[in-house]
């Protein structure tokens, strides 16, 4: 696991910031490929998904290795991942962006939720997507897919570095998901990103109010006019932000 555990304070801050703000903060630090491409919420939730990554890697299935009977094996990596993902973590699956077969279904994801996971992300498909969407736990996928994972995927490695939606995900990286998608924050940056983005969210809320009131963008976003900075300072005192 990561040498930089996610604190409750940082988790709480990240629950209140957008993936867009996180993307900008990471871009400032030279990190441009931290958005998991091609995944969407199974069903939108009102609260962000936040948690360290616990990973599962799939490789292409080979027919002689993946008969339906492999699920009888108590050491099957897909089942083991569901039963060992730590509480508060996000199970992240590398399906090579191939959603023609499911990477999990509602029974396994329900078990994951009841074990206290913070969420699940797959760049492949889920079967029984309606049932997964009804859970309180956030879930992200490429699209619904009825065929069992064995059709195209072999679950192989647990808690190793993976690719998910073209983003590198290392065990312990901090995953943040909102209604737009999922960002991957390197664990050692999570505290700084959370702090910076909390300020960004405050400023952008102020800007949006100004824009809705008819203000022009130039000199406001980004803030290059002192008068706008003064307005923001007054707004922060008034709103407690």
């Amino acid at each position: 696991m990561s040498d930089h555990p996610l604190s409750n304070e940082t988790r709480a801050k990240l629950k209140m910031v957008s993936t867009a703000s996180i993307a900008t903060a990471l871009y400032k630090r030279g990190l441009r490929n931290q958005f998991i491409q091609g995944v969407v919420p199974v069903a939108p939730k009102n609260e962000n998904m936040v948690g360290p990554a616990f990973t599962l890697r799939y490789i292409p299935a080979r027919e002689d290795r993946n008969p339906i009977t492999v699920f009888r094996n108590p050491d099957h990596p897909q089942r083991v991942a569901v039963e060992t993902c730590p509480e508060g973590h996000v199970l992240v699956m590398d399906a090579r962006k191939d959603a023609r077969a499911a990477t999990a279904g509602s029974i396994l994801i329900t078990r994951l939720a009841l074990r206290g996971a913070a969420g699940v992300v797959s760049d492949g498909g889920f079967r029984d997507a309606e049932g997964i969407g009804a859970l309180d736990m956030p879930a992200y996928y490429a699209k619904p897919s009825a065929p069992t994972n064995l059709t195209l995927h072999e679950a192989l490695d647990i808690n190793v570095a993976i690719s998910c939606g073209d983003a590198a995900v290392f065990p312990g990286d901090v995953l943040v998901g909102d209604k737009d998608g999922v960002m991957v924050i390197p664990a050692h940056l999570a505290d700084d990103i959370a702090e910076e983005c909390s300020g960004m969210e405050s400023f952008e809320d102020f800007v949006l109010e100004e824009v809705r009131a008819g203000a022009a963008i130039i000199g406001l976003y980004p803030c290059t006019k002192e008068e706008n900075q003064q307005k923001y300072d007054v707004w922060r005192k008034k709103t407690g932000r």
Side-chain angles (χ1 to χ4, degrees), residues 113-160:
L114 290 173
R115 290 192 61 254
V120 61
V121 182
S122 172
D123 63 0
F126 286 151
R127 66 199 309 193
D128 312 314
E130 184 177 359
I132 294 172
L135 297 170
D136 290 335
M137 184 187 73
Y140 294 80
Y141 68 162
K143 65 178 183 179
S145 186
T148 177
N149 65 315
L150 302 176
T151 309
L152 291 169
H153 307 302
E154 178 177 345
L156 194 69
D157 293 320
I158 296 174
N159 223 28
V160 298

Side-chain angles (χ1 to χ4, degrees), residues 19-219:
T19 54
S21 292
I22 293 168
T24 298
L26 289 171
Y27 178 80
K28 293 176 183 177
R29 292 161 173 79
L31 295 166
R32 303 184 179 192
N33 192 35
Q34 302 304 116
F35 187 67
I36 296 181
Q37 298 291 336
V39 307
V40 296
V42 177
K45 306 299 182 186
N46 291 326
E47 186 176 74
N48 282 4
M49 176 189 75
V50 180
F54 185 83
T55 64
L56 174 64
R57 185 172 76 96
Y58 284 99
I59 65 169
R62 200 175 73 187
E63 287 78 3
D64 63 324
R65 291 177 54 88
N66 288 279
I68 195 70
T69 53
V70 299
F71 285 145
R72 294 179 176 272
N73 180 358
D75 296 324
H76 188 271
Q78 183 204 40
R79 267 55 176 175
V80 172
V82 168
E83 293 293 343
T84 57
C85 178
E87 183 178 355
H89 284 56
V90 176
L91 179 59
V92 189
M93 302 182 194
D94 172 7
R96 311 172 315 283
K97 300 192 299 181
D98 190 341
R100 293 176 296 159
T103 49
S106 64
I107 292 176
L108 269 64
I109 302 302
T110 297
R111 172 62 178 163
L112 188 69
L114 290 173
R115 290 192 61 254
V120 61
V121 182
S122 172
D123 63 0
F126 286 151
R127 66 199 309 193
D128 312 314
E130 184 177 359
I132 294 172
L135 297 170
D136 290 335
M137 184 187 73
Y140 294 80
Y141 68 162
K143 65 178 183 179
S145 186
T148 177
N149 65 315
L150 302 176
T151 309
L152 291 169
H153 307 302
E154 178 177 345
L156 194 69
D157 293 320
I158 296 174
N159 223 28
V160 298
I162 62 170
S163 169
C164 186
D166 293 327
V169 182
F170 292 84
D173 281 349
V174 178
L175 278 290
V176 180
D178 62 10
K179 293 175 183 177
D180 286 348
V182 181
M183 290 296 300
V184 182
I185 305 174
H188 68 283
L189 294 177
D191 293 343
D192 289 345
I193 295 295
E195 183 65 27
E196 179 176 333
C197 288
S198 295
M200 289 172 61
E201 294 284 322
S202 168
F203 179 67
E204 290 190 357
D205 286 347
F206 160 74
V207 168
L208 193 55
E209 283 191 19
E210 290 292 297
V211 169
R212 284 173 173 163
I217 288 296
I218 297 171

